[in-house]
Amino acid sequence: MRIGLTYDLRSDYLAEGFTELETAEFDRPDTIIAIESALRGLRFETDRIGHFRQLVQRVAAGDRWDLVFNIAEGLHGIGRESQVPALLDAYEIPYTFSDPLVNALTLHKALAKRVVRDAGIPTADFFVVERMEDVATAALPFPVFAKPIAEGTAKGIDGRSKIRSREELDAACARLLAAYRQPVLVETFLPGREFTVGIVGTGPAARVIGTMEIELLASADPEIYTYTNKEHCEERVRYHRASDSLARRAESVSLAAYRVLGCRDAGRVDVRADAQGEIRFLEINPLAGLHPEHSDLPIICTLHGIPFQELIRQIVESAAARSSAAGIRQLVAQA
């Protein structure tokens, strides 16, 4: 079974002149090596494809794969995470993780919250600032929390993201609108415990594989899982395996959100408790990072005794279950 790998290698974009922040969500070479090694350890043949434009060239040249293991985030536009899945759908090439609709919906954090809220899943009250005039319509009590509406890896989140006054809100929205050129999501600040829940599978077969609590150390930016805290997690953050009653509630909320949003194969859901101790949905990542030691989903697996290769096997197994080719399903079952 031949598996292609699509990804955005950070070093490629840095060489083209993009900044460290612009490429923060992209992958390091050792992430690709780890995924490739895991797939080969499962006796699959691998083929590195690269980013979207490289995939276009390969497909146009007539290359095809039994499955594409896709972790490409894309660079431009609100639908950037949908570009690779959309092209693969057009050529009927099976791939891992969510389809174009889900990737676009979940990247837009306000639209995802509207769908989740409509399904009766608790999430913090919020409003969207598309231009500075919108701030005047803000009706949420302080403190609130502001972040770009469509960024990952905590980009745009720093010590100023918790906002206590109208003046701070004006400043935060002006700063984020100018820096990221996209709307700002403003929501009620949640002061309680924060969890990240790992999920594998699709639809009724989706299941929680583990939950971890995020503890910020004294050296970290206080109260908030900021971009800097995340980038320097080894020195600033302690991750705990969580299994108490609040963690189980976090798992229930997360699994419900994962299913209602239509995520596939694997993903990660971030939730946090409000002032009353009720778990609230924050956001979902259907293309969770897969660096074995640095990314949250593999860290969750490590805390729960799941080897990295087993995580990759479960992702491929879930994707292969959608394939119409019985041979692919049989090969994955034997891995």
Side-chain angles (χ1 to χ4, degrees):
M1 179 173 171
R2 184 170 180 241
I3 298 181
L5 300 173
T6 49
Y7 49 84
D8 288 298
L9 201 57
R10 192 173 191 179
S11 55
D12 288 346
Y13 290 94
L14 291 172
E16 293 181 26
F18 292 97
T19 67
E20 291 281 344
L21 185 60
E22 288 172 322
T23 61
E25 294 183 65
F26 295 162
D27 295 296
R28 296 160 27 175
D30 50 351
T31 299
I32 311 307
I33 292 170
I35 295 171
E36 189 171 50
S37 298
L39 291 170
R40 288 180 175 177
L42 295 166
R43 296 180 293 175
F44 298 127
E45 178 187 352
T46 60
D47 179 15
R48 294 193 186 192
I49 300 169
H51 55 58
F52 176 72
R53 286 170 291 162
Q54 292 166 322
L55 173 64
V56 170
Q57 294 170 356
R58 294 288 299 274
V59 169
D63 288 344
R64 298 292 185 271
W65 304 268
D66 297 306
L67 181 76
V68 169
F69 197 102
N70 171 47
I71 58 170
E73 304 269 358
L75 185 62
H76 298 297
I78 193 73
R80 59 185 182 273
E81 293 185 351
S82 304
Q83 293 166 349
V84 166
L87 182 63
L88 294 172
D89 274 345
Y91 284 87
E92 298 183 281
I93 300 171
Y95 55 90
T96 58
F97 300 114
S98 295
D99 63 27
L101 173 63
V102 173
N103 281 343
L105 170 64
T106 55
L107 185 60
H108 194 296
K109 301 178 195 305
L111 289 180
K113 281 169 67 74
R114 288 190 174 108
V115 172
V116 165
R117 184 176 60 187
D118 188 60
I121 298 166
T123 187
D125 291 336
F126 66 99
F127 65 93
V128 176
V129 174
E130 296 188 3
R131 56 192 69 81
M132 284 307 296
E133 291 81 358
D134 296 336
V135 179
T137 67
L140 293 179
F142 293 104
V144 295
F145 188 85
K147 60 185 176 183
I149 209 161
E151 297 293 343
T153 320
K155 287 171 64 176
I157 297 176
D158 58 25
R160 300 168 293 180
S161 297
K162 180 181 177 182
I163 295 164
R164 301 168 180 81
S165 68
R166 173 62 186 271
E167 290 73 23
E168 289 183 4
L169 181 59
D170 284 341
C173 290
R175 182 174 65 253
L176 292 173
L177 287 171
Y180 292 93
R181 300 185 181 280
Q182 60 183 265
V184 178
L185 176 66
V186 181
E187 54 191 337
T188 300
F189 179 75
L190 304 175
R193 294 167 62 190
E194 183 166 356
F195 301 93
T196 295
V197 179
I199 297 174
V200 297
T202 303
R207 61 196 182 280
V208 172
I209 56 170
T211 299
M212 70 179 187
E213 182 172 0
I214 297 164
E215 180 192 357
L216 301 178
L217 303 178
S219 57
D221 298 327
E223 297 189 87
I224 302 170
Y225 196 26
T226 62
Y227 173 78
T228 305
N229 285 342
K230 200 162 192 173
E231 282 294 289
H232 302 283
C233 60
E234 290 83 358
E235 300 86 30
R236 294 177 170 224
V237 183
R238 181 176 296 131
Y239 299 113
H240 300 279
R241 175 174 173 161
S243 57
D244 61 6
S245 60
L246 196 61
R248 290 197 296 275
R249 175 59 180 159
E251 292 173 353
S252 175
V253 168
S254 298
L255 187 57
Y258 181 94
R259 285 175 170 159
V260 79
L261 289 166
C263 298
R264 307 192 310 199
D265 301 338
R268 209 195 69 237
V269 185
D270 298 334
V271 298
R272 190 163 183 173
D274 63 16
Q276 289 71 45
E278 172 64 32
I279 290 292
R280 304 274 176 179
F281 169 86
L282 288 176
E283 60 184 66
I284 192 165
N285 190 339
L287 279 177
L290 287 175
H291 188 280
E293 291 89 32
H294 192 73
S295 298
D296 286 351
L297 183 58
I299 292 173
I300 291 171
C301 289
T302 299
L303 289 172
H304 290 78
I306 302 171
F308 183 74
Q309 183 169 287
E310 174 59 17
L311 170 63
I312 300 300
R313 191 197 68 78
Q314 291 189 28
I315 292 169
V316 173
E317 181 181 56
S318 176
R322 290 191 296 276
S323 174
S324 58
I328 293 178
R329 297 196 301 272
Q330 184 176 1
L331 283 170
V332 172
Q334 294 170 350

